[in-house]
Amino acid sequence: MRGDIKLIMKKIIVGNWKMNPETLEEAQDIAKEIKKIASKLKKIETVICPPSIYISNLKSKISNLPVDEAGLKLGAQDVSAEFDTGSYTGEISAGMLKNIGVKYVIIGHSERRAMGETDEIINKKIKTALKAGLKVIFCAGEKERDDEEHFLDFIKKEIEGGLHGVEKKFFRNIIIVYEPVWAISSGKKFRPDNPDSVFKITIFIKKTLMPLVENGALRSIPILYGGSVTALTAREFLEKGGIQGLLVGGKSLIPKEFSQILEIADRL
Ligand code: 13P
């Protein structure tokens, strides 16, 4: 029982590499450095999500140890909405990802939404990934804040749209990320959110999830924060944001800084 509780409380730190780096050699170097530290940290789940083209190679390089013992899990940044293989040029199926050792997939990221992904597509991708046995890192977050708090309705709509009709039994494989678009470091006028606001929105997300999940299951759904997280801000977000982990973009490509974030999470 104690073990179960510990498992539920494990912090999850995810690195989203986005469309970086340019070469496989650089990707190997970054992954090797992160692995060194991740293999020593037992209290957190470390996930890196490189571009799909590097995953197979990194898996073999990362895992001369079995993946779980290496302490580093691999995630993809996207997946096809189609479950069965077939004539879908350019797509990668959930089954393909699963079969090369991928454990997680990011779905609903605002950068993909900006490319035209709707709640309906995201919903289909989530169901497909869950059916294949992947864990889903489902992102939601508003483009801008307003004083009347209409942005909360926006977050609710994204969450309900993405999770519409997902069977209750699958919720154990869902992680929700609150990632406000305005806080992402690649934005023109970005600024990180603050832990108090993240705490409030975490509670709002839990309330939104309540009718969708089985009694008692809510506590085991991790909620993460993403948006300009650095080694300087990670502790505050984890301590005061009511969250179980972080989704890190830019800083996950800098092994030294990402390692610091991992160490901070492991010590809490
Ligand atoms: P940054 O950490 O660079 O702001 O990126 C956040 C993000 O989009 C992670 O998915």
Side-chain angles (χ1 to χ4, degrees), residues 9 20 25 38 65 78 80 109 132 151 154 161 201 228 232 242 245 253:
M9 304 305 283
N20 299 291
E25 289 70 27
L65 283 172
D78 187 28
S80 174
H109 194 283
F151 73 93
F154 185 89
I201 290 159
S228 299
L232 288 177
L253 289 152

Side-chain angles (χ1 to χ4, degrees), residues 14-18 106 109-111 139 177 179 183-187 190 226-230 247-252:
V14 183
N16 176 10
W17 290 10
K18 308 190 179 184
I106 298 172
H109 194 283
S110 58
E111 287 158 13
C139 303
V177 184
E179 187 165 81
I184 297 178
S185 69
S186 52
F190 77 91
S228 299
V229 174
T230 68
L247 177 60
V248 185
K251 302 302 183 195
S252 70

Side-chain angles (χ1 to χ4, degrees), residues 14-244:
V14 183
N16 176 10
W17 290 10
K18 308 190 179 184
M19 200 169 77
N20 299 291
E22 179 90 11
T23 68
L24 175 61
E25 289 70 27
E26 287 171 275
Q28 288 173 341
D29 288 345
I30 298 168
K32 229 182 282 166
E33 287 304 308
I34 296 173
K35 180 190 159 188
K36 253 190 243 163
I37 179 81
S39 61
K40 293 185 200 136
L41 306 177
K42 304 290 180 216
K43 290 198 300 202
I44 56 169
E45 177 94 335
T46 308
V47 183
I48 53 168
C49 302
S52 293
I53 193 166
Y54 298 146
I55 290 177
S56 278
N57 183 282
L58 294 186
K59 183 172 184 291
S60 55
K61 295 282 172 191
I62 289 173
S63 309
N64 37 10
L65 283 172
V67 164
D68 287 334
E69 285 173 40
L72 186 56
K73 303 269 166 48
L74 282 160
Q77 297 173 20
D78 187 28
V79 65
S80 174
E82 300 298 333
F83 185 80
D84 293 321
T85 53
S87 305
Y88 306 106
T89 303
E91 292 288 271
I92 298 174
S93 78
M96 290 171 188
L97 293 173
K98 177 85 174 147
N99 288 333
I100 60 163
V102 167
K103 297 275 189 268
Y104 291 84
V105 59
I106 298 172
I107 300 178
H109 194 283
S110 58
E111 287 158 13
R112 294 212 59 85
R113 291 179 191 263
M115 290 175 217
E117 267 185 29
T118 60
D119 287 338
E120 289 70 32
I121 296 171
I122 289 163
N123 180 244
K124 200 170 170 201
K125 288 186 174 190
I126 289 177
K127 287 177 179 162
T128 298
L130 291 168
K131 189 173 161 193
L134 295 171
K135 288 182 194 258
V136 169
I137 300 169
F138 171 37
C139 303
E142 78 282 3
K143 292 195 192 80
E144 47 197 44
R145 283 272 165 96
D146 60 305
D147 294 339
E148 292 78 35
E149 299 199 331
H150 293 309
F151 73 93
L152 292 175
D153 298 332
F154 185 89
I155 299 170
K156 187 168 191 265
K157 186 183 156 290
E158 282 193 341
I159 292 179
E160 288 176 345
L163 298 177
H164 179 74
V166 170
E167 284 180 64
K168 290 192 162 71
K169 66 174 183 191
F170 283 127
F171 274 82
R172 64 175 183 275
N173 281 337
I174 294 177
I175 294 163
I176 310 277
V177 184
Y178 171 55
E179 187 165 81
V181 181
W182 49 266
I184 297 178
S185 69
S186 52
K188 281 201 182 82
K189 291 188 193 158
F190 77 91
R191 58 192 161 88
D193 202 357
N194 66 72
D196 292 341
S197 144
V198 171
F199 184 81
K200 205 176 128 194
I201 290 159
T202 303
I203 291 174
F204 176 78
I205 291 175
K206 285 185 180 159
K207 278 192 194 149
T208 305
L209 290 172
M210 220 179 274
L212 309 178
V213 302
E214 270 162 6
N215 282 348
L218 197 58
R219 271 175 1 131
S220 62
I221 301 176
I223 299 180
L224 277 49
Y225 166 74
S228 299
V229 174
T230 68
L232 288 177
T233 57
R235 178 189 308 280
E236 255 207 314
F237 279 121
L238 288 169
E239 277 182 347
K240 299 184 189 160
I243 49 171
Q244 283 75 51

